[in-house]
Amino acid sequence: MTAADLVVVANRLPVDRIVGPDGTDEWRTSPGGLVAALEPTMRAAHGAWVGWPGQADVEIEPFTFDGIDLVPVSLSADEVAEYYEGFSNDTIWPLYHDVIAPPQFHREWWDAYVAVNRRFAEAAASVVAENGTVWVHDYQLQLVPQLVRELRPDVTIGYFHHIPFPAHGLYAQLPWRDQVLRGLLGADVIGFQRAQDATYFLTAVRRRLRHDVKGAAIAVPSGPGETRTAIAKAFPISIDTSPYLELAARPEVRARAAEIRASLGNPAHILLGVDRLDYTKGIRHRIKAYGELLDEGRLRVEDATLIQVASPSRERVDAYVHLRDEIELSVGRINGDNDTFGHTAIRYLHQGYPREEMVALYLAADVMLVTALRDGMNLVAKEYVATRVDNRGVLVLSEFTGAADELRQAVRVNPHDIEGLKDAIMEAVQMTPREQARRMRALRKRVIENDVDAWSSSFLGALAAAREGKRA
Ligand code: G6P
C-alpha cells in the first residue's frame, strides 16, 4: 500500500465484514452516509480509511476495497467493553447529550480510551503521505488529532464532531476535560454540527485552557512563546440525496409504499418514527403523546397507525437495555388498550432495513416524527424530506436537533412538552395538501442544495486554507 494523501480516521470502517460459507472474509459497503460522502474524494485523492471492523479480536491486514485503502484497527474484547461501550458510549455519549442518561466515570475506561486513540493515531500516521491530510471523525477519537500531530507535524489535521458538544456547566463534569480539549486542539480545523456546539467548545477552551479566542480562531500554544491557529466552526452535515430521489421515482418502490399502507388497513393517517433505539431520540415521549391522543379520542385507531422502526443499537450498554424494556412495555400497553382485530395503534419493529425499504416507508408516511431530546444533526429528517418528490407529507421536528437550524418549515416541537407535542401531531395530521406542498418544497430545496457533497467540499476547503496558512 502506498502512502495516502487523504486519510479518514473513524471508529468504524466503511464496510461490514461477513464471513462467507467457506470461512473467508467478505466485505460489503455499510449503509452510512459518510462513506457515500467521501467516496469520490477518497478515490480522486488516493485515500485511506482507518477504522475498527466492528468485531472484537479480529486481526485483519490492510486491504483495498472499491479503490479505497482500508486499514483495520483491532480491538480486544476488553477494549470493546471499556473504550467503545464504556468511555465512548456510557461516558461521552450521555454527557454530550445533555445528561439525558447519567454518564459513568471510570478511570479504567479512560485508560482504555487513551490507549485505543493512540492505536488509531499510529495507524493514521503510518499511512499518510508527506504533507498529506488526516480527517478524524467523532467522539470516539477526540485525542487522535493531538496524537497524530505529535507523530506527524507535517500533516494537516481536521476533526469533525458528529454529535452535540455540551454547555460548559455539563462539560466541566468530565474528569478528563482538559486532556480532551487538548486532544481536539491538535486539529487545524475542528468542525461541529451547529453554531451552538462551536460556541460551547470555544467557551470551554477559553475557560479551561485560557487560550486566546477571536471569533472562530484559537491561538494554540505550539512552543515557547509560539502559537498556531486552530479554527472551530459549524459545518452541518447532510446526506447524499441522489439515491433517495432515484428510489422515490421507481414504480416498484412506490408500489411497495402502497402495499405497506394496505397491509395496515389503509388508515387515513400513517405516522412514522425511524431511529436507532437510543434514549436521545425521544421515542418514549413520542409514544406517550400518541397514546394520549388515542385515549382522548383526538385520534382513532381505525384512522391512525404509528410505525416505529427502532433499529438495535449498543445492546450491551445498561441504559440501552433499560430503554428497550421501557419502550416495549409502553408499546404493548398502548396496543393492548387500543388495537382491534383489523387495526393496530403502533406497529413496532426492532429491526434495521435496507435503504429501498426505508424509502418506501418514507413515501407511505403522512407524518414523520423526529422528537429527539438532543441530536447532533438527525439525518433521518433529511432523508424523509429528500424522498418526498411528490411534495407531500409533514415533518414534525424537535428543536433540539441540528437539523432544526436548517429545516425551518418543519412543524417544530419541544418533545418534553407532551401537550405541545400532541398539538403538533394534530396540526400535522390535519394540514392541507396545499400547505404540505408549500412547506415541503422549501425543505427539499434546502436539503438538495446543501447535500453531503457540499458539506465535505466546505470542510476540505477549510482544511486546504489551513494548509496554505501554514505554508505562508
Ligand atoms: C452516531 C454516531 C456515530 C456512530 C453511530 C452508530 O451517529 O455519531 O459515530 O457510528 O451513531 O453507533 P455505533 O455505536 O453503532 O457506531
Side-chain angles (χ1 to χ4, degrees), residues 10-12 34 52 84-85 88-89 93 97 137-140 161-164 193 276 278 281 312-314 320 375-376 379:
N11 180 50
R12 287 182 185 272
L34 193 57
W52 171 51
Y84 168 70
E85 290 162 348
S88 296
N89 289 319
W93 181 270
H97 286 88
H137 288 267
D138 227 357
Y139 64 102
Q140 303 93 343
H161 193 73
H162 292 245
I163 71 170
Q193 302 280 26
R276 272 187 312 100
D278 194 298
K281 302 292 184 183
S313 187
R314 306 176 189 163
Y320 291 75
D375 208 335
L379 292 177

Side-chain angles (χ1 to χ4, degrees), residues 117-382:
N117 270 245
R118 179 157 294 130
R119 192 171 311 144
F120 276 85
E122 282 165 356
S126 70
V127 294
V128 65
E130 177 123 27
N131 298 318
T133 299
V134 172
W135 189 3
V136 184
H137 288 267
D138 227 357
Y139 64 102
Q140 303 93 343
L141 301 174
Q142 295 172 101
L143 308 179
V144 171
Q146 183 191 26
L147 294 166
V148 170
R149 180 172 292 277
E150 282 165 16
L151 295 165
R152 290 292 303 272
D154 57 302
V155 305
T156 304
I157 303 168
Y159 171 89
F160 186 74
H161 193 73
H162 292 245
I163 71 170
F165 194 87
H168 189 63
L170 294 175
Y171 183 72
Q173 289 182 17
L174 185 66
W176 309 278
R177 55 202 180 180
D178 294 353
Q179 291 97 311
V180 168
L181 292 178
R182 287 201 188 92
L184 293 168
L185 286 172
D188 298 289
V189 177
I190 305 155
F192 295 92
Q193 302 280 26
R194 309 179 90 162
Q196 176 81 101
D197 299 313
T199 303
Y200 286 157
F201 174 74
L202 290 166
T203 304
V205 166
R206 222 185 295 113
R207 293 191 43 185
R208 298 289 332 151
L209 305 181
R210 309 249 164 241
H211 293 349
D212 273 346
V213 173
K214 280 201 189 68
I218 307 161
V220 184
S222 57
E226 282 173 25
T227 60
R228 60 177 182 85
T229 302
I231 301 290
K233 57 179 268 216
F235 296 86
I237 201 170
S238 192
I239 57 166
D240 179 10
T241 51
S242 48
Y244 293 92
L245 302 180
E246 193 258 314
L247 284 166
R250 273 199 213 164
E252 68 272 23
V253 177
R254 308 192 71 81
R256 175 67 189 139
E259 187 179 279
I260 291 169
R261 290 195 76 103
S263 71
L264 294 167
N266 273 320
H269 314 291
I270 292 187
L271 300 93
L272 175 65
V274 173
D275 313 84
R276 272 187 312 100
L277 186 47
D278 194 298
Y279 49 80
T280 59
K281 302 292 184 183
I283 304 171
R284 281 189 302 120
H285 298 64
R286 181 185 315 165
I287 288 175
K288 187 178 181 72
Y290 176 69
E292 288 187 15
L293 288 172
L294 288 170
D295 288 347
E296 292 163 10
R298 291 170 77 184
L299 285 176
R300 292 177 349 125
V301 74
E302 290 79 8
D303 302 329
T305 295
L306 167 61
I307 304 176
Q308 176 63 56
V309 175
S311 54
S313 187
R314 306 176 189 163
E315 294 187 276
R316 299 199 316 175
V317 178
D318 278 352
Y320 291 75
V321 175
H322 294 142
L323 175 76
R324 182 172 177 195
D325 286 347
E326 269 181 299
I327 285 178
E328 293 183 357
L329 182 69
S330 49
V331 168
R333 282 200 177 145
I334 291 172
N335 281 344
D337 287 344
N338 293 283
D339 281 8
T340 64
F341 287 107
H343 297 278
T344 189
I346 305 177
R347 174 57 53 85
Y348 167 79
L349 302 146
H350 185 242
Q351 295 162 54
Y353 293 94
R355 185 185 278 153
E356 188 167 328
E357 183 73 350
M358 292 315 302
V359 169
L361 264 176
Y362 293 145
L363 287 174
D366 304 293
V367 177
M368 180 80 215
L369 297 173
V370 176
T371 57
L373 306 176
R374 187 48 90 191
D375 208 335
M377 174 52 65
N378 198 286
L379 292 177
V380 164
K382 293 189 173 180

